[in-house]
Amino acid sequence: MALFGKKKEETKAEKSCCCGGSQSASEVTSTCCGEKVNGICCIKVLGSGCKSCHQLYENTLKAVEGMGIEVEYITDLQKIMEYGAMSMPALVVNEKVVSVGRVLKPAEISEIVEKY
């Protein structure tokens, strides 16, 4: 029988992000690959939905308030695993994981954002 032993080969079109990362076309989100604002094209908080993850998200919103930068909160475990973050919460700036396992204060997040 031809059904066994054959896997369908899936090809995903890669899309290069303005921040140097690449994502498959099915994974591109609304906030990334937009126009850069102060050198930042995307900020994401990766979390499972726990209190610490929500706190990092809120602190990130406070840190970028008035800058015109959107912050995305990602709880999809498949997408989180693609970033390689093994501890939550995690902060991603321009598709690079910059903090893992800590709830950063708004001032700390502002310092990280200023580096970009």
Side-chain angles (χ1 to χ4, degrees):
M1 296 185 99
L3 297 175
F4 299 104
K6 289 189 177 183
K7 279 189 168 181
K8 290 183 180 179
E9 292 184 26
E10 295 182 21
T11 58
K12 293 183 179 179
E14 293 277 328
K15 182 175 181 181
S16 181
C17 187
C18 62
C19 51
S22 65
Q23 299 175 324
S24 67
S26 64
E27 298 165 2
V28 175
T29 58
S30 61
T31 58
C32 189
C33 300
E35 201 167 307
K36 288 187 178 186
V37 177
N38 297 331
I40 306 290
C41 70
C42 53
I43 296 179
K44 299 174 184 176
V45 174
L46 311 178
S48 60
C50 67
K51 183 178 178 180
S52 296
C53 299
H54 282 289
Q55 186 63 50
L56 179 62
Y57 178 67
E58 292 298 322
N59 290 351
T60 305
L61 288 175
K62 288 177 188 174
V64 300
E65 189 174 29
M67 297 175 116
I69 300 171
E70 291 184 38
V71 179
E72 186 177 356
Y73 185 68
I74 297 177
T75 57
D76 182 15
L77 290 178
Q78 179 65 34
K79 288 184 180 181
I80 291 171
M81 288 174 27
E82 290 172 5
Y83 284 100
M86 300 304 283
S87 183
M88 298 303 127
L91 182 66
V92 177
V93 178
N94 287 353
E95 295 301 314
K96 295 179 186 166
V97 178
V98 295
S99 173
V100 178
R102 290 187 55 215
V103 178
L104 299 172
K105 295 178 183 176
E108 294 173 312
I109 297 167
S110 294
E111 286 178 23
I112 291 171
V113 169
E114 288 174 10
K115 291 179 183 178
Y116 288 89

